[in-house]
Amino acid sequence: MGFGIAFLGYCFLLLHSAGFGLLAAPFLAYGFFLASRLEKRFLYASVSALFMLPRGLFVLLDLFLPVLGVDVNVAKEFPLLNLGTYLLFFIAWFFMLLYQCTAVRTIAVANDHTKLKNSANRQLYFSSLFLVLAITMVLFGELVDGRVQIFAGIAYYVVVLMNMFFTHTCFVLITSEAQYEKDKEMVAEHNRRVMERRAKDKEHSKKK
């Protein structure tokens, strides 16, 4: 249903500083697009994920232009673009997570799945705290104590790992249950056809 692809997107997001953000955004977007067949808010999460793409491209250019022999520091040469893509990245991540968690919560409530609903609420709460901190750091980083910056750097990886495990939980609980219901309907339809065929055969035999 797309959660497996979104999970890979979060794996790439874990390596964002190494230039893999350029892969994270499309994987997350496509994964949530597929999941939108279950709940429409996943489509909004998909669109939000695409706005994380400019930062991934910016980081990749900053890493590889010097390797290619281009003597330029993209972050220093274009400070406003650096700031803009950074802010856009965290804001897009917030809305992607918001729509992902609300979609999962809606599915959980509809299926009376308390554990999944609570998991979605916790994920949204703790990740939102980090993202608010991250946005604050981007805007006022020079005024923030170095220890807070170190904490924020560690928190980034913790939150991405939380997002990964949460998405994996969605894959296990939502996809498995949806597939179970689909398989159950297929078996019921198969049994109905078998019974109809047997009834016709009996009726045919009586006529003979």
Side-chain angles (χ1 to χ4, degrees):
M1 294 293 181
F3 294 115
I5 296 173
F7 176 82
L8 288 176
Y10 278 120
C11 291
F12 287 127
L13 195 61
L14 198 64
L15 303 170
H16 189 276
S17 59
F20 285 90
L22 197 64
L23 293 175
F27 269 78
L28 287 164
Y30 185 57
F32 290 132
F33 172 75
L34 294 177
S36 66
R37 291 176 291 181
L38 297 173
E39 221 286 328
K40 66 179 181 180
R41 289 182 183 88
F42 283 123
L43 182 60
Y44 305 149
S46 174
V47 174
S48 299
L50 291 175
F51 285 94
M52 300 168 75
L53 195 60
R55 184 61 190 176
L57 179 60
F58 191 90
V59 171
L60 193 67
L61 289 174
D62 197 40
L63 286 172
F64 285 98
L65 282 180
V67 176
L68 297 174
V70 180
D71 187 20
V72 61
N73 186 314
V74 179
K76 290 183 178 179
E77 290 291 333
F78 305 98
L80 289 179
L81 188 60
N82 182 39
L83 176 65
T85 56
Y86 221 165
L87 277 175
L88 183 61
F89 172 78
F90 284 117
I91 292 170
W93 187 356
F94 171 78
F95 280 104
M96 180 188 72
L97 186 69
L98 174 66
Y99 290 126
Q100 179 189 3
C101 290
T102 52
V104 171
R105 190 168 56 194
T106 300
I107 294 172
V109 170
N111 291 276
D112 197 26
H113 207 306
T114 305
K115 181 180 177 181
L116 185 60
K117 183 187 76 172
N118 292 338
S119 180
N121 289 334
R122 284 195 303 271
Q123 185 69 23
L124 181 59
Y125 176 75
F126 288 112
S127 296
S128 295
L129 287 178
F130 161 73
L131 291 170
V132 169
L133 173 63
I135 292 171
T136 304
M137 293 282 294
V138 173
L139 293 173
F140 308 105
E142 295 180 357
L143 305 176
V144 178
D145 185 77
R147 288 170 294 184
V148 177
Q149 294 181 2
I150 293 173
F151 171 77
I154 296 171
Y156 172 86
Y157 293 101
V158 172
V159 170
V160 174
L161 286 171
M162 287 173 59
N163 290 173
M164 286 171 59
F165 289 127
F166 175 64
T167 304
H168 182 263
T169 300
C170 295
F171 174 76
V172 172
L173 296 180
I174 297 176
T175 304
S176 298
E177 289 184 8
Q179 187 62 45
Y180 170 74
E181 292 297 327
K182 185 177 180 180
D183 292 344
K184 189 166 68 173
E185 290 177 3
M186 290 177 62
V187 170
E189 178 65 18
H190 174 72
N191 291 338
R192 185 185 64 80
R193 290 180 180 179
V194 170
M195 294 299 292
E196 287 180 354
R197 191 180 300 114
R198 287 179 180 175
K200 287 180 180 179
D201 290 343
K202 286 181 180 180
E203 187 176 337
H204 184 68
S205 297
K206 287 179 181 179
K207 289 181 179 179
K208 287 184 176 181

